[in-house]
Amino acid sequence: MTLKNTHDRWGSVSKSLHWLIAVLILALGIVGLTMGEFPKTPKYFWIYTMHKSIGITVLVLVVTRLLWRVYAGAPQAIPGTPSWQQRIASATHWLLYVMMFAIPLSGWLYDSASGLRPFKLFGLFDMPKLVAPSDQISQVSHAIHEWGFWALILMVLAHAGAALFHHIQQRDATLVRMLPQGWLNIPQKESA
C-alpha cells in the first residue's frame, strides 16, 4: 500500500486521517452530549478541557487532511458511476469539510466569547482567545456549534449510507478503497 493516493484507491495517509478524524468526532459527540449532566467537580472541568483540546486536534487534523488531499489528489470516480452521483458525492465531501471546520472553530469562538479564562490545550499551554467577551458572539457561536454538530451527524449518515449503498447494492469499490486492504471483500459486479 502506498502513502499517496492512486487513481483508483486512497493511500494510507488519507485513510488514517479519515478514520482518526471519524473516531475523534464520535468521541467528541458522545462527550459533548453527556458532559452537561456531570456534576461540577474538578473531573467535570478536566473533561470539558479535554473536549476542547480534542476539538482543536480535530481542527488541526482536518487542515492536515485537506492539505494532503490537495497534494496527493483523490481517486477517480468508480467507472460507471453516474455524473449526478459524482456531483452529490463531491458536494457532500466539501460540506463535510465545511462542517469539520465550523464546529471546532465555533466551539473555540464560544469559549473565547464566554469570558472564561483561557483553556490549556491538553494542560500544556493557554489557547489564545479569538474575540473579547461578548454575550451575542457567545450565543451565536454556541448555536452554530450545537446545531452544526447535528448537521454533521446527518451529513455523516448520508455519507456512510451512500458508501454502504455502493458496497451492498452497486457492488463497487467505493467503500472498500477507504478501508484497510482486504476488508469487506464482496465480489464486485462484472464489467459490461
Side-chain angles (χ1 to χ4, degrees):
M1 174 183 298
T2 66
L3 293 176
K4 201 169 175 187
N5 304 329
T6 65
H7 74 282
D8 65 343
R9 194 161 180 86
W10 295 99
S12 59
V13 172
S14 293
K15 289 180 189 181
S16 297
L17 288 169
H18 177 276
W19 292 109
L20 178 59
I21 291 168
V23 166
L24 290 175
I25 288 173
L26 176 63
L28 285 167
I30 291 169
V31 171
L33 290 171
T34 59
M35 70 184 176
E37 306 301 318
F38 296 135
K40 304 289 190 271
T41 64
K43 187 176 185 177
Y44 168 83
F45 295 104
W46 180 85
I47 290 169
Y48 214 83
T49 299
M50 288 307 293
H51 178 81
K52 295 173 190 181
S53 296
I54 294 171
I56 296 297
T57 302
V58 167
L59 182 61
V60 169
L61 289 171
V62 171
V63 169
T64 303
R65 182 175 175 190
L66 189 57
L67 292 172
W68 181 258
R69 183 169 176 159
V70 168
Y71 168 74
Q76 297 172 353
I78 300 292
T81 303
S83 61
W84 66 270
Q85 284 183 7
Q86 291 178 40
R87 287 191 302 275
I88 290 173
S90 180
T92 301
H93 282 109
W94 288 111
L95 282 171
L96 284 167
Y97 277 114
V98 167
M99 299 309 299
M100 289 186 293
F101 276 105
I103 294 169
L105 283 173
S106 63
W108 188 2
L109 190 61
Y110 170 62
D111 181 74
S112 298
S114 69
L116 300 173
R117 63 185 169 96
F119 76 93
K120 288 189 177 293
L121 187 71
F122 294 108
L124 300 174
F125 58 88
D126 288 344
M127 286 298 293
K129 294 290 188 179
L130 299 176
V131 295
S134 165
D135 285 339
Q136 184 178 7
I137 294 173
S138 177
Q139 289 173 10
V140 170
S141 58
H142 185 265
I144 292 169
H145 191 69
E146 186 174 340
W147 290 104
F149 169 74
W150 292 112
L152 177 64
I153 293 299
L154 291 175
M155 295 299 299
V156 167
L157 289 173
H159 177 68
L164 288 171
F165 172 78
H166 275 273
H167 188 71
I168 295 167
Q169 185 65 34
Q170 300 293 105
R171 299 178 87 62
D172 66 29
T174 299
L175 174 62
V176 172
R177 66 188 189 170
M178 184 49 93
L179 295 174
Q181 206 95 27
W183 283 32
L184 296 179
N185 282 332
I186 290 179
Q188 305 300 303
K189 283 194 304 191
E190 294 295 321
S191 323

